[in-house]
Amino acid sequence: MDEPDRPRPSGDAASRLAGEDLGPYSQAELDDRIALLNAEIARVKAHRDKAAAHRAAADALFGQSAAGKGGG
């Protein structure tokens, strides 16, 4: 289940990747890295789309106004 109110942990994988020195990598290694990152982007997008579809189905079933109301 989504937990949008939780802060993203500091030092997560994306943050570590963004700060990594790419100097030591060869062109072939960089090409491999790009391929892996593109595959991860596709995986994340697929998960996002699945979550959006799940949310849309829930909104259709229960109504959008129910999403913002707290349960008792």
Side-chain angles (χ1 to χ4, degrees), residues 7-62:
R8 201 165 83 182
S10 61
D12 66 348
S15 297
R16 288 191 306 271
L17 282 173
E20 187 176 354
D21 178 18
L22 299 176
Y25 290 94
S26 70
Q27 276 191 311
E29 290 170 324
L30 291 170
D31 288 340
D32 290 344
R33 183 181 177 105
I34 289 168
L36 287 170
L37 290 170
N38 283 330
E40 177 61 5
I41 288 168
R43 185 181 78 90
V44 171
K45 285 181 176 181
H47 180 76
R48 178 200 60 196
D49 294 347
K50 182 179 175 184
H54 184 265
R55 176 63 184 256
D59 287 346
L61 182 61
F62 298 110

